[in-house]
Amino acid sequence: MFIVFEGIDGSGKTTLSKLLSKSLNAFWTCEPTNSPIGKLIREFLQKKVKLDDRTLALLFAADRVEHTKIIKDILKSRDVVCDRYLYSSIAYQSVAGVDEDFIKSINRYALKPDIVFLLTIDVDVALKRVKGKDIFENKSFLQKVQEKYLELAEEYKFIVIDTTNKTIDEVYKEILEHYKKYSNKL
Ligand SMILES: Nc1ncnc2c1ncn2[C@@H]1O[C@H](COP(=O)(O)OP(=O)(O)O)[C@@H](O)[C@H]1O
Ligand SMILES: Cc1cn([C@H]2C[C@H](O)[C@@H](COP(=O)(O)OP(=O)(O)O)O2)c(=O)[nH]c1=O
């Protein structure tokens, strides 16, 4: 099974995806990856290099092509839990002004996840958690990204979990319940 966590910075994706991965004995992975392409992306996020928004969209898509090959290989023997995937590109890069059809087109080889958990949160609370260091970590931008994610949730049938005022344990229990319901239907 291929499970993806999405949400704005500070929504709890890394924490919750790692917890779920541990209890499923799944392989945990994330995007941007640690590949040379991922490293260049991180330099952009840390404001060390400047790139056109379309270049950035292409870099995320390229990082994902390489990542998807690895994910497909691991899925032959294990479940995979991924912290961010295709929907991060559709949400962030479209809010940054890149044409959505272009983003979808360069990501056409991405794998369709079995489950997508979208973690939503009050943007002020999220920003307090992440301290707003990266280029995308500002209130109005993240607000728009979250709205875009909620649109995508309808289109792609994500499981949406609001994490505002919930402990990590409470969010985790909700995730496990949804996971159990989903796997019982298989
Ligand atoms: N429900 C929660 N309540 C309080 N703190 C949380 C909660 N979820 C995550 N955190 C904390 O917020 C910070 C950001 O969480 P993280 O999982 O890294 O988010 P993301 O990967 O979405 O940016 C971490 O310090 C984490 O321990
Ligand atoms: C995978 C991906 C990430 N991003 C952005 C979202 C985050 O701001 C950043 C990833 O940084 P990271 O520190 O991994 O995220 P988080 O704060 O959620 O732990 O890159 C995109 O804009 N497009 C993408 O396709």
Side-chain angles (χ1 to χ4, degrees), residues 43-55:
E43 287 185 5
F44 167 85
L45 294 169
Q46 293 157 12
K47 304 174 195 166
K48 289 179 186 156
V49 292
K50 282 193 178 175
L51 296 168
D52 186 277
D53 291 318
R54 286 163 299 185
T55 308

Side-chain angles (χ1 to χ4, degrees), residues 4 97 106 139:
V4 167
I106 59 177
K139 188 174 177 179

Side-chain angles (χ1 to χ4, degrees), residues 61 86-87 89-90 98-110 148 152 155-156:
L86 161 71
Y87 311 102
S89 280
I90 305 178
V98 182
D99 178 70
E100 196 171 323
D101 288 335
F102 173 71
I103 301 166
K104 287 180 175 167
S105 154
I106 59 177
N107 281 285
R108 84 188 78 147
Y109 301 114
K148 185 70 197 173
L152 297 177
E155 188 178 343
Y156 296 101

